[in-house]
Amino acid sequence: MSFLQLDDIVKKYPGAERPSVADFTLGIDQGEFVSLLGPSGCGKTTTLRMIAGLVEATSGRIHLDGKELTRTPVHQRGMGLVFQNYALFPHLNVARNVAFGLEMRRTSKAEAKRRVEEALDLVRLGHLSGRRIKQLSGGQQQRVALARALVIEPAVLLLDEPLSNLDAKLRDTMREEIRSIQRKLGITTVFVTHDQDEALAVSDRIVVMSEGVIEQVGTPEQIYEHPANRFVANFIGRANLFDAQITHTAGGVAELDVAGLGQMRAVDDQGAKGPATVLVRPHRMQVSKAAADDAHGTVETVVYVGDSIEYGVRVGDNTVSVQSVAGAAERLERGTTVRLSWQTEDALVLT
Amino acid sequence: MSAKTRSARLTVLGLTVPGLLGLAVSFVLPLAWLLRMSFNRGDSTGYIEETFTLDSYAQFVGDSYYWDMAWETTLLGLGVTVLTIVVSYPIALFLVRTESRFKGILVALAVAPLLTSSVVRTYGWLVLLGNQGVVNQALMGAGLVDQPLALINNRIGVYIALVEIMMPYMILCLLAGFGRFNQELEHAAQSLGANRWRTFWRIVWPLSMPGVLTGALLVFVLTISSFVTPRLVGGGKVFYLATEIYDQATATLNWPFAAAIAFILLALFAVVIVIYQRALRRIEAQ
């Protein structure tokens, strides 16, 4: 059993047609940073709230360090929570917000003072301890919320979309900071986000969810390079998905008849047969000029984004995205007829 | 002064003058007239001597009967205010927290009694609380009491009726005052180890203070100046400053004395408003 173990967790709200979370089973190791990733309404926040105890699971069990806490009330779980809107107490100043959890634990005044200072230094806000909450910027409020959750030395740190209210630049710095603090303290962390870049950047493992079910669990590399299905492939990064017919499989490589492209090859871990989907990331696609009678399609859009050029190539009814490094190849104009290709190891057969 | 600021000033003046005039004619002038009246000498024949004396005030201050009455009035104000907070707070908290799609209707229901005049509601309480009323009939039917309880023509009835009449005002103030509250704050407190009780006293209650204070001020002022309910439910047997003013003005015809009591009541308001302002400033300084 893992440090934080969730078994067959189900949450079904009364009157709801389908459960918000269904048969959620996941083990999280001590010190691990796990992201729950999915579009809104996928059940990721509900799952986090069940771990926190704010939402009661309809069925299933939660164990922490071998002890069951499925029915333990929130205030006895000892988990550190950071909310999307920070939920700082507006009537208390920064230091008293951070001290709140220690006061509830009846920590001695001297020790509480020391630990509050430590926590504020950790998030680099030591100089603002006397400030009122409404005098702080969004990023500073975020840090106070983090310090408040960390000061109680929680068994698990739960972060509910903590970065979504920050502007893009701050979001990147904060996520690095959260990750480095997490590493420093070695604290087990569950991070809820709908932002795949965020999840890829910070996680040891990612749990991709959709409509209340786990689609895939894996390291960022596994999720990105070997998505388990179309949903994951589409949700993580940009993806070209081709309908294809497998004609022959040997040694982990499938020969395919791809609609609009003809005979191609792709990696096939599962030895699938018949109809399949092939995933190729845009930056792994190659595009070259071709005579009209030999072409797969026509360049429809050209977007120059500095370090790369993004082409939209019309193939039959579909548009294929191709990202090529700017300057590395001849720039294609709109209307050019082209052939598309890829290296066998850059294409993956999905089931 | 530039033309622009002058025209801005004229605009401000133009917009405020009608309101100020209205206030002056309907409020300040009568009040000044009343103040003047309180310095005249009156007697129980209704004769008013134009003079300048503090006799009426001296009569009030020198008689422990009126001191008791002022004390009872203050006590009524405080008691009704506290009781109204106690019974309104859970309702307001429920209305703030509920995610029911009937929330709007529930709020409307909570303040719907305002649609009925307090005179009518006072008569309602007379019916409910009387010896033959629903309350006493139920208590006797259940065998809890042998004799009907005296719930009207005394202070108990006045308290009960006033608390109910004041509840919609209090609920409205509490709802407005809950602005900074959201349920995530309770969740945060709980995740930090606070049980329900401590979450309430450390988070919910302090955050609701602006609403509580405003509601308390409003209810206190409305209560000590209320006349109909103490008069009707009290059955002429309990006396407060407001009922005394009426009696002095209409029965005893001692207008100067009635005016003096009115100003003493006004002084009580002033004290309460100062206390309110101080308390509010302390909360906002947090």
Side-chain angles (χ1 to χ4, degrees):
Chain A
M1 188 184 282
S2 301
F3 180 65
L4 177 62
Q5 182 70 42
L6 309 173
D7 289 305
D8 305 315
I9 300 292
V10 174
K11 178 63 195 181
K12 192 169 187 298
Y13 284 99
E17 250 177 53
R18 58 174 186 84
S20 305
V21 175
D23 300 325
F24 191 102
T25 297
L26 180 71
I28 298 173
D29 291 330
Q30 192 149 21
E32 203 179 6
F33 193 117
V34 172
S35 295
L36 304 183
L37 174 66
S40 59
C42 74
K44 55 190 192 297
T45 295
T46 308
T47 305
L48 187 90
R49 287 179 168 245
M50 284 192 281
I51 300 173
L54 292 172
V55 170
E56 201 184 346
T58 311
S59 65
R61 285 156 180 274
I62 302 172
H63 286 85
L64 177 67
D65 207 4
K67 286 185 282 288
E68 171 152 18
L69 52 97
T70 318
R71 301 277 171 259
T72 308
V74 189
H75 68 277
Q76 288 166 5
R77 289 200 184 192
M79 303 221 177
L81 248 119
V82 175
F83 296 85
Q84 186 170 7
N85 62 10
Y86 318 137
L88 296 173
F89 307 130
H91 59 302
L92 303 177
N93 68 18
V94 169
R96 297 210 47 206
N97 260 277
V98 178
F100 189 87
L102 298 175
E103 282 174 43
M104 294 303 117
R105 284 164 175 70
R106 304 187 196 282
T107 310
S108 77
K109 277 229 167 95
E111 196 197 336
K113 189 169 177 290
R114 182 179 59 75
R115 282 168 65 180
V116 167
E117 279 171 13
E118 271 176 20
L120 284 172
D121 286 341
L122 188 68
V123 297
R124 298 189 287 114
L125 278 184
H127 57 297
L128 296 181
S129 66
R131 284 279 178 91
R132 296 168 66 181
I133 298 305
K134 65 177 174 192
Q135 295 172 314
L136 302 180
S137 69
Q140 289 168 335
Q141 292 191 17
Q142 174 65 79
R143 287 158 200 265
V144 176
L146 194 60
R148 186 179 68 175
L150 287 172
V151 79
I152 60 171
E153 293 172 0
V156 179
L157 179 63
L158 304 173
L159 306 166
D160 184 8
E161 305 236 10
L163 306 176
S164 61
N165 285 343
L166 302 176
D167 61 59
K169 210 160 188 181
L170 199 53
R171 199 152 48 209
D172 289 356
T173 0
M174 270 313 289
R175 90 181 174 204
E176 293 312 316
E177 207 163 327
I178 287 177
R179 182 55 162 150
S180 85
I181 288 171
Q182 186 268 339
R183 281 219 176 89
K184 195 153 129 194
L185 303 178
I187 188 172
T188 312
T189 302
V190 182
F191 178 86
V192 161
T193 181
H194 64 269
D195 183 329
Q196 36 128 342
D197 291 334
E198 227 164 78
L200 289 173
V202 298
S203 316
D204 290 323
R205 274 196 303 159
I206 297 174
V207 179
V208 184
M209 296 179 69
S210 132
E211 301 193 341
V213 249
I214 296 180
E215 297 285 350
Q216 189 175 4
V217 182
T219 63
E221 290 78 8
Q222 285 168 350
I223 299 272
Y224 186 82
E225 300 293 345
H226 294 276
N229 52 40
R230 290 182 77 114
F231 174 82
V232 178
N234 255 324
F235 194 73
I236 311 286
R238 296 191 306 144
N240 290 306
L241 295 171
F242 299 95
D243 291 327
Q245 197 72 30
I246 297 176
T247 52
H248 180 72
T249 311
V253 174
E255 307 257 356
L256 313 136
D257 185 18
V258 180
L261 300 182
Q263 288 297 317
M264 305 295 268
R265 289 161 153 252
V267 174
D268 182 6
D269 307 329
Q270 294 144 44
K273 285 197 174 68
T277 301
V278 179
L279 161 73
V280 187
R281 301 287 180 190
H283 66 278
R284 300 277 171 79
M285 294 286 304
Q286 278 136 33
V287 62
S288 55
K289 226 183 224 176
D293 55 350
D294 197 27
H296 289 139
T298 316
V299 175
E300 208 171 41
T301 55
V302 180
V303 181
Y304 177 72
V305 289
D307 46 7
S308 66
I309 300 176
E310 285 167 15
Y311 297 109
V313 178
R314 169 70 90 181
V315 179
D317 290 337
N318 304 312
T319 303
V320 178
S321 303
V322 181
Q323 187 183 2
S324 47
V325 180
E330 180 192 5
R331 184 162 165 180
L332 303 169
E333 300 299 324
R334 279 179 53 196
T336 313
T337 50
V338 292
R339 280 188 73 84
L340 294 169
S341 60
W342 61 68
Q343 302 291 318
T344 305
E345 65 268 24
D346 288 338
L348 181 71
V349 174
L350 300 179
T351 42
Chain B
M1 194 200 299
S2 75
K4 200 176 171 189
T5 61
R6 186 181 302 160
S7 83
R9 284 190 178 197
L10 278 176
T11 308
V12 170
L13 209 64
L15 287 172
T16 46
V17 158
L20 287 176
L21 272 178
L23 261 184
V25 171
S26 66
F27 184 68
V28 181
L29 280 181
L31 212 60
W33 183 85
L34 202 66
L35 184 63
R36 176 70 192 87
M37 176 60 77
S38 72
F39 296 122
N40 286 335
R41 183 174 289 125
D43 61 30
S44 51
T45 64
Y47 174 74
I48 297 166
E49 183 192 342
E50 288 270 345
T51 174
F52 200 88
T53 169
L54 289 172
D55 277 5
S56 295
Y57 292 95
Q59 186 187 344
F60 188 96
V61 174
D63 193 336
S64 70
Y65 172 76
Y66 292 114
W67 278 103
D68 284 348
M69 186 183 293
W71 171 240
E72 281 296 341
T73 303
T74 312
L75 211 60
L76 177 76
L78 292 176
V80 168
T81 301
V82 170
L83 290 173
T84 308
I85 292 171
V86 170
V87 294
S88 305
Y89 201 94
I91 298 174
L93 194 57
F94 169 78
L95 290 172
V96 165
R97 279 183 181 162
T98 183
E99 282 160 17
S100 161
R101 59 204 160 105
F102 302 116
K103 183 173 182 163
I105 295 173
L106 292 174
V107 171
L109 276 178
V111 299
L114 290 177
L115 296 172
T116 314
S117 126
S118 65
V119 179
V120 176
R121 285 154 73 198
T122 299
Y123 275 111
W125 278 110
L126 286 175
V127 172
L128 288 174
L129 297 176
N131 285 353
Q132 302 301 315
V134 178
V135 174
N136 272 318
Q137 292 297 323
L139 287 175
M140 287 194 291
L144 292 171
V145 292
D146 301 330
Q147 296 282 314
L149 296 176
L151 295 176
I152 55 168
N153 301 333
N154 56 22
R155 298 200 192 278
I156 296 172
V158 177
Y159 273 81
I160 293 174
L162 276 175
V163 166
E164 188 271 332
I165 286 167
M166 296 304 165
M167 276 177 69
Y169 298 105
M170 182 61 82
I171 290 172
L172 273 181
C173 290
L174 289 175
L175 285 178
F178 263 121
R180 290 195 298 172
F181 175 83
N182 73 57
Q183 207 159 3
E184 212 75 315
L185 295 176
E186 284 182 279
H187 292 156
Q190 286 166 12
S191 78
L192 292 166
N195 57 24
R196 284 175 181 279
W197 181 252
R198 297 175 94 186
T199 302
F200 178 79
W201 287 112
R202 294 292 306 275
I203 306 299
V204 181
W205 177 253
L207 286 176
S208 66
M209 271 324 272
V212 171
L213 277 179
T214 307
L217 174 75
L218 186 68
V219 167
F220 184 88
V221 167
L222 286 175
T223 298
I224 62 173
S225 63
S226 68
F227 161 72
V228 173
T229 306
R231 179 74 184 193
L232 290 178
V233 182
K237 295 194 175 69
V238 294
F239 303 98
Y240 297 105
L241 292 181
T243 57
E244 186 64 16
I245 294 168
Y246 179 84
D247 287 340
Q248 288 293 338
T250 63
T252 320
L253 294 178
N254 189 341
W255 284 26
F257 191 50
I261 302 176
F263 267 88
I264 287 163
L265 192 58
L266 208 60
L268 197 56
F269 288 156
V271 170
V272 171
I273 285 173
V274 168
I275 293 172
Y276 166 77
Q277 293 280 359
R278 288 244 170 117
L280 203 62
R281 219 172 299 152
R282 257 184 60 184
I283 289 173
E284 279 168 359
Q286 271 175 358

